[in-house]
Amino acid sequence: VVDARAARWMRASRTAAGRLHVEETARLDEHWDGSESQRPQVATHHPVERTHTDTGHAEEERRHRFAKKVTHWMGEQIATQHAKRVHLFSPAHLLGEMRKLMPPALAAMIADEAHDLGTLHTSEIAKHPAVCAIPAADERYFLDEHLKRD
């Protein structure tokens, strides 16, 4: 589950009653304040007034940097978990940016959906229609074989 400020790696399993239980097992937070910008700074003796355009470029750069960081992190998590298929839920604008940055091998392992679940608690994620709609065969493979590993 990825949103504009954090990426959460979730582990899912079925309870004895057959309900989906989801828990967060890893987290990556976005910590960019804009001072790390690669955009050239213009030397001036006059105070620089921030414009809407500047803010837009900073937001675009922040989103790109976080998408790049998350894409790399997902590759590490997949390797650690020995996963072959991962369901990724993210807002459309961030999902599009991550798709551009994913190497083909990583992209082939990702089933992505444009849903903003980042503000939801794990119990709410387990009940979300998009999560519940994961095909049974894929869910069984995804949940049982890959997310239960420690």
Side-chain angles (χ1 to χ4, degrees), residues 1 15 19 26 38 40 46 54 64 96 121 147:
V1 175
T15 65
R19 289 194 199 118
Q38 296 300 313
H46 305 288
D54 293 337
H64 176 77
H121 185 272
L147 294 181

Side-chain angles (χ1 to χ4, degrees), residues 53-69:
T53 306
D54 293 337
T55 305
H57 287 298
E59 179 63 23
E60 191 176 298
E61 185 174 347
R62 185 200 58 75
R63 182 174 51 242
H64 176 77
R65 284 173 169 262
F66 189 55
K68 186 175 182 179
K69 187 188 273 188

Side-chain angles (χ1 to χ4, degrees), residues 71-113:
T71 301
H72 177 77
W73 179 76
M74 283 190 322
E76 290 174 346
Q77 291 299 316
I78 288 170
T80 301
Q81 298 290 332
H82 306 286
K84 297 203 186 317
R85 189 91 169 137
V86 173
H87 292 270
L88 170 63
F89 297 94
S90 178
H93 65 278
L94 190 56
L95 190 57
E97 191 68 33
M98 287 188 292
R99 283 181 186 146
K100 289 186 237 176
L101 297 167
M102 281 184 201
L106 179 59
M109 303 170 96
I110 304 290
D112 55 34
E113 295 197 38

Side-chain angles (χ1 to χ4, degrees), residues 8-12 23-27 73-86 109 141-150:
R8 297 184 292 165
W9 189 266
M10 304 285 184
R11 174 175 293 164
E23 64 181 310
E24 181 179 316
T25 60
R27 182 181 182 97
W73 179 76
M74 283 190 322
E76 290 174 346
Q77 291 299 316
I78 288 170
T80 301
Q81 298 290 332
H82 306 286
K84 297 203 186 317
R85 189 91 169 137
V86 173
M109 303 170 96
Y141 183 77
F142 178 70
L143 298 176
D144 294 344
E145 291 189 30
H146 297 293
L147 294 181
K148 286 186 178 177
R149 291 185 181 179
D150 288 11

